[in-house]
Amino acid sequence: GDLIVSGNTYAGIITDAPRTFIGHVVIGVGADGHTPIPNFYGVQVRFSAKNTSITDVVISGNDNGMNVFAPSISIQNFAMGVSVNRTISVPNLQTSLFLSASAENAVIGSDTHDVLPNVVVGGSSHAIEINSDNVALQNTIVGNSEQAGIVIRGDFCKVGNGFWVSDSVRESSDRVYVVGNNGDGIIVEGKNTSLTCLSS
């Protein structure tokens, strides 16, 4: 089964090494898949961990979900702020996915049609905050944040092969859904950002 990393006073996982692989890990909940046992940070990808690959992870119930400072990382097949089976909300208290200004050229989510969408449920802050340039976000459901679903401050970012803002989740594997947030769905402050196939 998956490795469980929970209940640490700082981070569940920290990497400062290039080309790190993090996979098949449950971070911030117990063996039942839904009881919060928080880390202060679920995952922290530090500046030197360029080209890190993260896949098949659940990051839920932490004070902060994942903070990324390294460039050129890939995050695939993940769930943040929900139970392992993706049926129960187990939010990270602050931002579930935070990319600093140095985390440029990140790829979040797959552009293929044969994988489950990623899920990011927010807590008291934004669900996803992108401060870096040239970030691609695709095949992801974002929702139930106390603030904005997605904040984009970086330039030249691309959200979705297709893109929906809706009050209900629809069936499609290559789109980004932003639903049920108490604040704005999307805030774009960066230049030359592409939101494609917008619908509501």
Side-chain angles (χ1 to χ4, degrees), residues 119-193:
V119 177
V120 182
V121 171
S124 62
S125 187
H126 313 303
I128 300 176
E129 183 175 339
I130 299 170
N131 296 287
S132 44
D133 297 343
N134 297 306
V135 173
L137 171 64
Q138 52 209 3
N139 192 23
T140 300
I141 299 168
V142 181
N144 297 336
S145 175
E146 290 298 317
Q147 296 186 34
I150 305 171
V151 177
I152 302 171
R153 297 192 174 99
D155 299 336
F156 299 99
C157 294
K158 179 182 178 184
V159 177
N161 295 322
F163 186 84
W164 298 92
V165 177
S166 171
D167 59 1
S168 62
V169 174
R170 307 180 186 184
E171 291 294 330
S172 182
S173 64
D174 62 351
R175 304 192 186 280
V176 174
Y177 304 93
V178 182
V179 297
N181 299 288
N182 288 333
D184 299 303
I186 306 159
I187 298 174
V188 179
E189 298 176 354
K191 297 176 290 186
N192 298 299
T193 289

Side-chain angles (χ1 to χ4, degrees), residues 49-125:
K50 183 177 180 180
N51 296 312
T52 285
S53 177
I54 300 168
T55 186
D56 296 303
V57 296
V58 175
I59 304 172
S60 301
N62 302 283
D63 288 357
N64 301 272
M66 181 188 297
N67 283 16
V68 179
F69 301 94
S72 303
I73 73 157
S74 171
I75 310 171
Q76 309 286 331
N77 194 24
F78 61 87
M80 297 181 183
V82 294
S83 59
V84 171
N85 62 11
R86 303 185 180 205
T87 62
I88 301 171
S89 177
V90 190
N92 298 294
L93 295 182
Q94 300 298 319
T95 303
S96 277
L97 179 57
F98 173 87
L99 276 68
S100 75
S102 56
E104 58 190 14
N105 302 314
V107 177
I108 305 166
S110 172
D111 61 357
T112 64
H113 294 263
D114 56 352
V115 296
L116 283 172
N118 306 296
V119 177
V120 182
V121 171
S124 62
S125 187

